[in-house]
Amino acid sequence: MGAKKGRVVSGARPTGRQHLGNYLGAIRNYVALQEDYECIYFVADLHALTTLKDTDKIREWTYEMALDWLAAGIDPEKTILFIQSHTPQVSELHTILSMLTPLGWLTRLPTFKEKVRQQPDNVNYGLVGYPVLMTADIVLYKADTVPVGRDQAPHLELAREIVRRFNYHFGEVLVEPQAKYTDFPKVLGIDGQQKMSKSLNNHIEIAAEPEEIRERVMRMVTDPQRTHRHIPGRPEVCNVFTFHGFFSPDDVEQIEQDCRTARIGCVDCKRLLAQNIADYFAPFRERRAALAAEPDHIWDVLADGARRATAIASQVLAEVKEAIGLPPVR
Ligand code: ADP
Ligand code: TRP
């Protein structure tokens, strides 16, 4: 194996079983990046607390998410996989970085404004600091590359500004991270309107059995103008066709022609998609079942990841404290 190109860090809040949006938008890239980068991935359980919903589910959802990630190909031999709160250094660095972050930088973020609209009765201190904690997640490992969705762009820009400020005051200690955006920024749900998301219940789980995949795919919204089998369809406005682009690479040209000429109807088109999705994830389902048979193994992998993450984190944190001039322990 040649030298790696750099270090990747990314995380996602524990949301339980992963769906096609998570897979195409994030997991697939996580897996691919392992070849060329030193990767560090984590379950952002602390970030989940900012919305304080479903806290009783955090353990279960952390487990289910880690299970999906591992079955999808995150390889603990190559990659550090851990739970955010298991490296407490991140909270310490968050406190330090918060002192360097003007409040205005945080309150003007579109992501913050959106949350204020969504939960006006719970605009907590942690919510304002969400991007500072995210900055700590990244710089604690001196990561140079951060795979994220486009919605995270303002957070990455903020992380870069915080790093520049730190380095200006205390010397070149921290690394300015670059975002690496996914090719599938917005996978639509089965409604064909909104981003696929568990909370909208418009999702298809990657661990779903073929029958459940079929049931969900058959409910997918297609070209609204195609109200009858004999009316030609417009693949460019059809979400089913978008999925064929990924899951049916060999058939996609034929499907496009057949849809435009009404040689194929939406029902057959969806049947084919359901089959191809189910086939694509068949090896995944098998690996997942094998992993799920030994839950302790998942927790062990996460514990080992935390040990490896902590080794890096404590070193970087010590450098940060020394650069600032905080008095050492003796
Ligand atoms: P988080 O709350 O941490 O963003 P999500 O489950 O919303 O957790 O997302 C986890 C990852 O999956 C993120 O990188 C996000 O960009 C990606 N993702 C989630 N839903 C979609 C979607 N519908 N299309 C594309 N990417 C998505
Ligand atoms: N905020 C990210 C999201 O909602 C999740 C996240 C937390 C993250 N810390 C991170 C992503 C560090 C990349 C790097 O998707």
Side-chain angles (χ1 to χ4, degrees):
M1 191 170 53
K4 299 263 175 171
K5 280 189 204 154
R7 185 176 280 168
V8 158
V9 161
S10 194
R13 286 175 291 178
T15 49
R17 290 177 172 230
Q18 302 288 282
H19 54 66
L20 293 179
N22 301 131
Y23 181 76
L24 297 174
I27 303 170
R28 216 176 117 255
N29 294 327
Y30 286 5
V31 172
L33 287 165
Q34 296 179 116
E35 298 310 316
D36 295 328
Y37 293 83
E38 209 185 308
C39 294
I40 303 180
Y41 299 127
F42 62 90
V43 180
D45 58 340
L46 293 173
H47 275 112
L49 297 179
T50 52
T51 45
L52 262 193
K53 250 184 20 198
D54 304 315
T55 43
D56 56 328
K57 309 244 175 55
I58 288 183
R59 270 187 207 203
E60 182 194 329
W61 286 359
T62 294
Y63 170 81
E64 295 274 353
M65 191 156 100
L67 178 55
D68 275 352
W69 284 8
L70 289 166
I74 301 289
D75 179 355
E77 300 276 321
K78 296 184 188 145
T79 292
I80 299 180
L81 176 66
F82 71 106
I83 299 173
Q84 183 185 30
S85 68
H86 290 183
T87 57
Q89 291 80 3
V90 79
S91 300
E92 225 179 314
L93 184 59
H94 166 255
T95 301
I96 292 173
L97 297 181
S98 74
M99 313 298 176
L100 289 160
T101 313
L103 198 50
W105 287 6
L106 300 173
T107 51
R108 73 167 184 233
L109 284 171
T111 41
F112 175 68
K113 290 183 181 161
E114 171 76 21
K115 277 281 178 270
V116 172
R117 267 194 300 274
Q118 283 171 1
Q119 50 181 63
D121 302 330
N122 185 18
V123 183
N124 59 69
Y125 178 62
L127 193 60
V128 188
Y130 182 108
V132 185
L133 180 57
M134 179 164 162
T135 302
D137 286 327
I138 300 165
V139 306
L140 190 55
Y141 305 97
K142 297 195 175 177
D144 45 55
T145 306
V146 185
V148 277
R150 289 234 171 240
D151 59 320
Q152 298 296 309
H155 291 165
L156 256 293
E157 204 35 62
L158 183 99
R160 293 161 61 83
E161 285 182 68
I162 295 176
V163 167
R164 285 198 284 270
R165 212 172 229 240
F166 184 97
N167 288 351
Y168 173 78
H169 285 289
F170 304 119
E172 289 288 322
V173 174
L174 302 179
V175 174
E176 257 189 65
Q178 295 277 356
K180 193 173 180 70
Y181 299 116
T182 103
D183 340 328
F184 283 93
K186 192 173 179 184
V187 175
L188 297 182
I190 59 172
D191 53 16
Q193 300 280 326
Q194 287 174 283
K195 196 167 160 169
M196 185 176 284
S197 143
K198 184 168 173 167
S199 55
L200 296 171
N201 195 18
N202 64 358
H203 62 299
I204 299 176
E205 288 177 356
I206 59 176
E209 290 299 329
E211 191 39 46
E212 191 187 334
I213 295 175
R214 216 166 77 90
E215 189 265 322
R216 290 241 150 181
V217 169
M218 293 321 275
R219 279 165 43 203
M220 279 177 77
V221 173
T222 55
D223 176 1
Q225 277 185 24
R226 202 172 184 202
T227 48
H228 194 277
R229 168 74 181 76
H230 301 295
I231 299 174
R234 298 170 300 165
E236 67 277 10
V237 300
C238 181
N239 193 30
V240 173
F241 184 73
T242 308
F243 281 107
H244 273 303
F246 184 81
F247 292 106
S248 319
D250 299 335
D251 306 323
V252 70
E253 275 178 37
Q254 190 67 47
I255 293 167
E256 177 165 12
Q257 271 184 28
D258 290 353
C259 171
R260 284 196 199 287
T261 51
R263 220 174 301 147
I264 185 179
C266 293
V267 171
D268 288 337
C269 184
K270 288 180 187 178
R271 267 200 200 114
L272 180 63
L273 177 63
Q275 186 62 50
N276 289 349
I277 295 177
D279 289 350
Y280 180 92
F281 288 106
F284 164 83
R285 286 194 299 276
E286 226 171 273
R287 283 193 299 271
R288 191 182 198 279
L291 285 163
E294 285 184 82
D296 282 350
H297 172 69
I298 308 285
W299 293 111
D300 287 345
V301 164
L302 292 166
D304 181 58
R307 274 189 290 277
R308 288 151 68 198
T310 302
I312 304 171
S314 12
Q315 209 175 338
V316 175
L317 185 63
E319 268 181 68
V320 164
K321 288 180 176 175
E322 197 189 323
I324 297 173
L326 291 175
V329 183
R330 53 169 301 156

